[in-house]
Amino acid sequence: NDARREAQGRVATGSGRFTTSARLSDIAPLAPGLSGAADLSLEADLEDTVWTYQANATAMEARTSATGTLTGSLEEASLTASGQIVADTLSRFSTLAGRDLAGSGTATFSGRASLPLWAISRDLDGSLQDARLGITEIDAVLVGEAKVAASASRDGDLIENSSQTISSDAGRFAAS
């Protein structure tokens, strides 16, 4: 398995820049059941105590991009992220999911996490096209284009709210 990684950076009091990129010729050793090349990149800029970043990943006909901030120290930090996920062929992830998948999907996401309490919130909105997730009750709703929405928040060990919906012309599936 071929792997290549490049990195460079500079940090001074209150400012800095860090960039890195990596290419794996096969992702299988890191994620059993998956295969194919993976490309990763990260660019981050430091101003005062705030890192602002842009991250990108491509693997198995799927692409993810995210932007956000990291503020504070390891003892007390806050992380924000937002971005997009595009999967052209969900079947490539069947082994990882442990069931037959089909179709394609896109989603936007946003989230926030803080330490040390591990307060976390996340939202996801997207669509699936001709998808099959291998769950009979959900697959019945995934005819044609289906809209997907999910949100949850957690403060310590308490999940405060959690909801997931999938809707299409064929029906609606909701869980909370």
Side-chain angles (χ1 to χ4, degrees), residues 4 9 18 27 40 46 51 107-108 126 131 140:
R4 173 188 56 79
F18 176 78
I27 198 169
L40 311 163
L46 173 65
W51 283 97
T108 58

Side-chain angles (χ1 to χ4, degrees), residues 7 86 109 114 116 135 141 144-145:
V86 176
F109 62 88
S114 64
I135 302 168
V141 178
E145 182 177 9

